């Protein structure tokens, strides 16, 4: 039996979906981090663990993984030839490694042209017009990722210190953040010195919470951030109206705040990134196998 495999891997975890040649999912599995730029070997092991779990759920022997045709969407795949390096390390019959943005685009839009903005701890833009796929942003928290939770949380801490120093106005939100640090600005500085992007990102929901209460500082922060997001959309989207989906943990919070022009393009994602990986596996591999040729009249290639 030949199987299709979709993998969605990032810094926080890896998901696998085992499917038949028509793209029907038979089993799924999860494991740990699969950012191949951070740690190639750990990512490889977690990919195999998630694959084994998917085989187990499907009631099949994981030893059949050598018959698998796989599409993997992984964080870090588009940097320094990492994708090609990992392809050579995997035991599957055939593998294609893409950026995680590619499978997110496919899952959200299907075969439609359009743009997705992934807004989680970081941010990235992916757009497709015909066979042309383009990327923007996603260069990391320190130099990019505008609109991501890490940048928004960092900006909140900055505004809290600016309010403490009376450079900027204070608000109930900045007062609440200062109270969270015991009223001591030095504790904010100490936190920021060693904080990871995820640590900064924990403060992002506070901005949305207080913006819903018309907190002036929160509203100003979100107005600035929406401006940055739309600046990216202006740069990457075609002049003609296109489908637009906002993904990631913060996507749904930003959507209602977009300008009317972009709200009119906004559409709910059709599927998630893992589904996108399975769809791409079916498109790339199903018709190339002998079994698929035998079933060519019955295969849905999405």
């Amino acid at each position: 039996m030949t199987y299709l495999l979709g993998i969605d891997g990032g810094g926080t975890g890896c998901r696998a979906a085992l499917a038949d040649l028509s793209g029907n999912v038979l089993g799924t599995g999860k494991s740990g981090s699969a950012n191949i730029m951070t740690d190639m070997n750990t990512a490889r092991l977690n990919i195999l663990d998630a694959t084994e779990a998917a085989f187990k759920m499907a009631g099949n022997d994981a030893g059949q993984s050598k018959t698998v045709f796989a599409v993997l969407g992984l964080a870090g795949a588009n940097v320094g030839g990492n994708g090609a390096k990992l392809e050579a390390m995997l035991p599957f019959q055939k593998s294609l490694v893409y950026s995680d943005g590619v499978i997110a685009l496919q899952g959200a839009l299907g075969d439609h042209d359009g743009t997705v903005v992934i807004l989680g701890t970081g941010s990235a833009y992916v757009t497709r017009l015909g066979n042309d796929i383009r990327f923007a942003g996603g260069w990391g928290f320190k130099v990019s990722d505008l609109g991501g939770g890490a940048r928004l949380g960092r900006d909140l801490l900055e505004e809290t210190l600016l309010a403490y120093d009376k450079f900027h106005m204070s608000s109930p939100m900045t007062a609440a953040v200062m109270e969270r640090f015991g009223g001591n600005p030095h504790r904010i500085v100490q936190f920021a010195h060693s904080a990871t992007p995820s640590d900064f990102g924990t403060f992002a929901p506070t901005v949305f919470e207080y913006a819903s209460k018309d907190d002036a500082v929160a509203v100003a922060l979100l107005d600035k951030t929406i401006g940055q997001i739309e600046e990216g959309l202006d740069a990457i989207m075609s002049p003609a109206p296109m489908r637009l989906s906002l993904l990631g943990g913060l996507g749904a919070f930003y959507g209602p705040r977009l300008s009317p022009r972009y709200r009119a393009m906004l559409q709910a994602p059709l599927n998630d990134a893992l589904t996108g990986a399975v769809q791409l596996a079916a498109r790339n591999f199903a018709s190339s196998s002998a079994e698929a040729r035998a079933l060519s009249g019955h295969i849905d290639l999405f």
Side-chain angles (χ1 to χ4, degrees), residues 36-294:
I36 60 177
M37 183 170 66
T38 302
D39 189 332
M40 177 83 69
N41 192 54
T42 295
R44 180 183 68 86
L45 293 174
N46 285 333
I47 288 165
L48 297 180
D49 284 347
T51 300
E52 182 176 356
F55 267 99
K56 184 176 181 180
M57 177 180 283
N60 294 315
D61 181 5
Q64 298 180 70
S65 62
K66 292 181 180 179
T67 70
V68 159
F69 291 81
V71 164
L72 304 92
L74 303 173
N78 57 335
V79 178
N82 285 332
K85 292 174 187 175
L86 182 67
E87 286 177 10
M89 297 168 62
L90 294 172
F92 309 135
Q93 185 169 344
K94 288 185 179 179
S95 302
L96 286 175
V97 178
Y98 295 110
S99 160
D100 51 353
V102 172
I103 64 169
L105 177 78
Q106 178 64 34
L109 302 183
D111 289 336
H112 297 284
D113 289 338
T115 296
V116 298
V117 187
I118 304 167
L119 294 156
T121 302
S123 69
Y125 296 72
V126 192
T127 194
R128 179 172 61 205
L129 184 61
N131 293 322
D132 180 33
I133 295 179
R134 292 179 290 126
F135 298 84
W139 301 112
F141 160 68
K142 292 185 178 179
V143 291
S144 179
D145 292 5
L146 299 175
R151 289 293 292 255
L152 185 60
R154 191 214 69 89
D155 288 353
L156 170 54
L157 296 183
E158 179 180 70
E159 286 299 322
T160 300
L161 289 175
L162 289 169
Y164 175 83
D165 287 331
K166 303 189 186 311
F167 290 2
H168 288 181
M169 66 177 180
S170 62
S171 74
M173 179 179 68
T174 61
V177 173
M178 184 59 74
E179 183 178 351
R180 182 169 171 176
F181 285 92
N184 186 344
H186 299 283
R187 290 178 58 185
I188 296 179
V189 174
Q190 290 166 349
F191 168 86
H193 179 71
S194 58
T196 65
S198 294
D199 293 333
F200 282 114
T202 61
F203 288 90
T206 301
V207 182
F208 290 98
E209 174 191 349
Y210 278 87
S212 70
K213 303 173 184 177
D214 293 324
D215 182 277
V217 176
V219 170
L221 279 176
L222 287 185
D223 285 347
K224 180 185 77 171
T225 302
I226 288 294
Q228 293 169 338
I229 292 170
E230 294 196 356
E231 186 177 19
L233 291 174
D234 291 343
I236 199 169
M237 292 187 77
S238 168
M242 300 173 69
R243 296 172 70 103
L244 170 65
S245 290
L246 303 185
L247 312 179
L250 297 181
F253 294 100
Y254 283 125
R257 295 181 175 274
L258 292 177
S259 63
R261 176 167 65 107
Y262 284 118
R263 284 204 310 273
M265 303 180 194
L266 202 59
Q267 306 227 3
L270 298 176
N271 289 293
D272 66 2
L274 186 58
T275 301
V278 173
Q279 290 178 355
L280 290 173
R283 173 183 295 167
N284 282 282
F285 295 129
S287 62
S288 67
S289 72
E291 184 170 355
R293 287 195 296 271

